[in-house]
Amino acid sequence: KKFEKAVRETGYKGPLVGSCWQAGSGIAHFYNLHTDYEVGIIDRHNYFGGGTGHRLVPGNFRNQSMTDIPGSGLLSTGMQQVADRPFALSEWMSLIPNEWIAEGPVIIATYGLGLQGWGASYSFAVDYDHFTPTIHTPGVYNVTSPTQLSLYPALVSTLYNGDIQMGDVVSVRNVHIPSLADGKLGFSDLQRQDWDQKEFGGDLPTQAMALGRVEVNFIDEFVPTDFPDFSEISKPGTIQSNTGQLTWNYSGEHQTGNIIINTPSLQGFSGFSDQRVYETGHLSLSINTPFAVVLFSSPEAGKTLEESDRWLVTTVARARNTGMVYNEEMTELLEVGSAPILLEPVDFSVTLKGKRPKQINILDHGGNATGKSFQPTGNQIEIMGSLHQTLFYEIIF
C-alpha cells in the first residue's frame, strides 16, 4: 500500500501490478493473490516444457503436450483470475526442445484471451525483427521462431475482430480473507512450482478451463465453495466450450489430444491427428501430418470467413535445427545442431462447405506472394507442404 500510494502521487493513472509471482499453495497462495488484488490487476508468469536451464543445451527435457490434459500447463495459470479484476499473462512460452511448442500460441489466444477473457498476453521474448536462423537464440525463449510468430497473423486478427467469445462462468471459488487465519479456505487448492514452471489444481479440475470461465471471488463472509459436477469433463473424451466455438478432444494418452476452432473469422485444428475428418462450420479437414496446426483465417479486417474474398491458410508443425539429435525415447536432447532450421511439412486435404475456391496462391515464409499457384478440384483442396515447402497459402474465391 505504501508503494501504491507513492506511485499514484506521481500522477500515474494506469494499472498497477503487485507481483507477477505466486507464493505457496492453499492459504498462502490466496493471501498472496489477495495482496495483488488490493493493488491492481492480476498478472502472472508461466512456462511449459523446456530442458536444462535458460539455454538450449544437451540434456533431459519434458516432451509433454498441453493437449494431453485440457486446461493444463500455461492455461492453468488462469485459475488465479479474480472476478472483478483484469487478468494478464505477462511472461509465457512453450519451450524447446519440447517439439509441440506451436500449440502454445493457439491455446493462449483461443482459450486464454478468448474463452477465459484474459486482458493481456506478452510472450517472452521478441528480440529480432526476423525469423531466427536457429530455433534457439542461444536461449530457449524465442517468439521469432517460425513455430511461434508465423501463427500470430491468423490469431491476432481474429482476436481484434472480437470473434472468439468469452465463456459463461462455470466455477467461482469463494475466498474469505479473515477465515484464512483460522485455516478455513473452503476447498482444496494445489499449486506445484518448478522454478519458472507452475501447475495448478485441486478440487477444481483444470478441464473446467476448457468448458468456460473460472474465477476466484473475494467475499465479505465465509461461504464454502460449491463446485458443479465436473465428473464428465474430468474423464477422457470431448469438452465443448459453453460458447460452442472450441472443442478439446483428449484420450488420456500422451500425444493424442487436439483442439478444433470454429469462430466466424478463424477455423482450424491444433494438435495430434489420427486421420479422422475434423469438421467446422466451413471445413472438413483430414490431416496427414501427425502433429500440426492448420488455421484458416480472414485477412481482411472486420470480415468473417463468409464475407472475405480471400483466406489465409497457416500451417505449422515441428521444427529442428540441422543436425539436432534426440534419444530414441524422445526424452533427451543429444545434439543442439545449427542453422538452418528444418521445418516439418504439413500435408492435408480440406473440403470447403459452401464457398467455391478459384485459386490457391503459394506464399513464402513471410506471407508474401511468390507468383506460384495451383487449382482446386471443385471444393476440395490438397495442401502439400512436402511439395510446396511453405507455411502460408492464400485461397482466392
Side-chain angles (χ1 to χ4, degrees), residues 19-23 32 36 43-45 193 195-196 198:
S19 170
C20 305
W21 292 83
Q22 294 77 225
N32 182 72
D36 295 341
D43 183 25
R44 291 294 181 258
H45 297 171
Q193 184 162 318
W195 298 95
D196 282 350
K198 303 105 181 176

Side-chain angles (χ1 to χ4, degrees), residues 170-211:
V170 296
S171 176
V172 177
R173 282 157 294 154
N174 297 315
V175 177
H176 180 234
I177 293 298
S179 295
L180 299 185
D182 299 323
K184 292 174 62 178
L185 180 56
F187 55 90
S188 169
D189 171 75
L190 178 63
Q191 181 193 148
R192 293 179 295 274
Q193 184 162 318
D194 180 15
W195 298 95
D196 282 350
Q197 301 195 36
K198 303 105 181 176
E199 293 186 6
F200 302 86
D203 286 341
L204 177 65
T206 61
Q207 287 90 334
M209 301 283 292
L211 181 62

Side-chain angles (χ1 to χ4, degrees), residues 141-299:
Y141 312 100
N142 183 17
V143 175
T144 41
S145 164
T147 62
Q148 303 298 298
L149 197 61
S150 58
L151 294 162
Y152 280 41
L155 297 172
V156 172
S157 62
T158 301
L159 288 166
Y160 274 94
N161 278 348
D163 283 344
I164 307 178
Q165 298 173 11
M166 184 169 70
D168 293 333
V169 175
V170 296
S171 176
V172 177
R173 282 157 294 154
N174 297 315
V175 177
H176 180 234
I177 293 298
S179 295
L180 299 185
D182 299 323
K184 292 174 62 178
L185 180 56
F187 55 90
S188 169
D189 171 75
L190 178 63
Q191 181 193 148
R192 293 179 295 274
Q193 184 162 318
D194 180 15
W195 298 95
D196 282 350
Q197 301 195 36
K198 303 105 181 176
E199 293 186 6
F200 302 86
D203 286 341
L204 177 65
T206 61
Q207 287 90 334
M209 301 283 292
L211 181 62
R213 186 174 162 102
V214 302
E215 296 177 339
V216 173
N217 189 22
F218 292 114
I219 55 178
D220 294 331
E221 60 182 57
F222 180 81
V223 177
T225 296
D226 184 18
F227 289 99
D229 183 2
F230 288 126
S231 59
E232 284 303 310
I233 64 169
S234 298
K235 296 183 293 188
T238 295
I239 303 175
Q240 186 174 55
S241 68
N242 55 26
T243 63
Q245 293 185 327
L246 304 172
T247 303
W248 200 312
N249 301 302
Y250 74 113
S251 69
E253 301 293 327
H254 286 314
Q255 300 168 7
T256 58
N258 58 61
I259 292 165
I260 311 299
I261 304 159
N262 188 19
T263 78
S265 62
L266 177 71
Q267 296 183 16
F269 173 95
S270 177
F272 298 88
S273 171
D274 57 4
Q275 304 296 315
R276 286 191 298 143
V277 176
Y278 298 94
E279 304 282 350
T280 72
H282 293 299
L283 315 168
S284 294
L285 276 170
S286 178
I287 301 171
N288 296 327
T289 307
F291 167 84
V293 177
V294 178
L295 302 176
F296 294 76
S297 61
S298 167

